[in-house]
Amino acid sequence: MPTTLVMILGLIVAMVAGNSWRWWLTTGGAALAVLPLGQGAPMVVVVAAICGLVVVGAWAWGTRSGRAIGVAVGVVFIAGQAAAFAVSQWPRGSVAAPWLDWFGVWLLVGVVCLAALVIDRSLHAVSTPHLDGRNRTAGEVQWVASMATLVTVVLLCGCGVGVVVFDGDGRLRFPTREDEVLPLPASLRLVSADTCADGGSSGNCTAEFVVMAADGADRATTVTRLVEHLSSRGWPLQHENGVYRGSRETGGILNWTAHRMWLYADVEPALVLRPAQPSDAVVIYIDNL
């Protein structure tokens, strides 16, 4: 019995040692979760970890190529996902795209991984002579399991993303985020914020931020302070016919709509004035049309 146990342990150690590069690649795919974590988006960490692990792990355990090619291709997949995240989430003066932007690209990387596994199998259709039947069977099981897992995740997530971002005119929309306006300077006070106070179909939303002066200044002063603050945050506001207007393009990789802002320099028109709103308050409107 001790001899048998030693043999089994030795076999396990040998298998782990022989597949160490596969484990490292799989760990590298899961480690992509640190990207949204470093960005301050902890809710998306699980999504990134699962997607990175499945895409890279599917290649690592499904390929029949040797260590050199397997590691090289796996690193390319990891680098591709990291690059997509960087391009997507580096706004370069534009409004930052939502996480669905880079996640959609990651799913495309998963499709490329599927194609790579199919090509890899066709190139290694006949197992090398030194492999015994048991190893060939293990390789078949790994390839089938990798393909099945990757296909399932890509299809499920792809359908989910398609439902969320579907839009009849081909453009994608997401609601305004509070960080497009906030935080306010000390001279201004936020009364209320609603990122979708008025909405329509296909994800249309108009956000409303109600702002007042923190020191009791009049409305004209509040407007001046707001315009200065919003301009410093990248909003190119222009005054025309008593209204300040400006729009910012959305960054990212997919085709997102721009966000358009306006606020009234004079008293709010009666048609849009909220009954409970203070008369000296200024409302910032942002829509994603």
Side-chain angles (χ1 to χ4, degrees):
M1 180 65 69
T3 303
T4 303
L5 181 60
V6 170
M7 291 178 62
I8 294 175
L9 290 176
L11 180 60
I12 293 174
V13 170
M15 291 177 62
V16 171
N19 289 320
S20 60
W21 64 273
R22 302 180 193 272
W23 288 108
W24 281 113
L25 276 182
T26 304
T27 302
L32 289 167
V34 302
L35 296 175
L37 184 62
Q39 190 189 33
M43 299 299 293
V44 192
V45 168
V46 175
V47 175
I50 292 176
C51 187
L53 183 147
V54 169
V55 171
V56 180
W59 166 258
W61 293 97
T63 180
R64 294 183 174 186
S65 298
R67 181 196 304 265
I69 295 178
V71 171
V73 175
V75 169
V76 168
F77 285 141
I78 293 174
Q81 288 176 294
F85 181 91
V87 172
S88 170
Q89 299 299 295
W90 184 31
R92 302 178 298 279
S94 302
V95 177
W99 67 270
L100 282 173
D101 186 76
W102 57 261
F103 182 69
V105 179
W106 282 21
L107 289 182
L108 293 179
V109 175
V111 174
V112 174
C113 182
L114 282 172
L117 285 172
V118 172
I119 295 173
D120 179 81
R121 179 181 174 84
S122 66
L123 294 176
H124 301 85
V126 179
S127 300
T128 52
H130 70 276
L131 293 178
D132 59 24
R134 178 182 56 196
N135 288 331
R136 286 197 296 270
T137 301
E140 289 288 342
V141 172
Q142 289 179 3
W143 186 85
V144 172
S146 297
M147 288 290 291
T149 302
L150 187 53
V151 167
T152 301
V153 170
V154 169
L155 286 178
L156 290 177
C157 294
C159 291
V161 171
V163 170
V164 171
V165 302
F166 174 76
D167 195 321
D169 64 1
R171 297 180 302 169
L172 310 178
R173 294 180 170 85
F174 65 97
T176 298
R177 293 187 296 262
E178 292 188 355
D179 61 7
E180 295 180 40
V181 172
L182 306 179
L184 295 173
S187 61
L188 296 172
R189 176 173 63 89
L190 181 68
V191 176
S192 64
D194 190 340
T195 55
C196 196
D198 186 18
S201 61
S202 302
N204 300 342
C205 271
T206 299
E208 294 183 7
F209 297 85
V210 182
V211 179
M212 293 181 63
D215 55 2
D218 59 17
R219 190 180 189 283
T221 302
T222 303
V223 170
T224 300
R225 293 174 180 175
L226 260 181
V227 171
E228 292 176 354
H229 165 67
L230 295 171
S231 297
S232 70
R233 296 189 67 85
W235 288 98
L237 296 178
Q238 300 292 329
H239 185 264
E240 182 180 355
N241 299 324
V243 181
Y244 284 94
R245 301 181 185 274
S247 64
R248 294 177 67 189
E249 294 296 326
T250 301
I253 302 173
L254 305 180
N255 184 24
W256 300 95
T257 60
H259 282 188
R260 183 171 60 92
M261 172 186 289
W262 71 96
L263 59 93
Y264 295 95
D266 300 320
V267 178
E268 295 282 322
L271 293 177
V272 299
L273 188 64
R274 300 288 188 269
Q277 179 180 300
S279 59
D280 54 349
V282 180
V283 182
I284 304 169
Y285 301 94
I286 307 177
D287 68 26
N288 59 359
L289 295 176

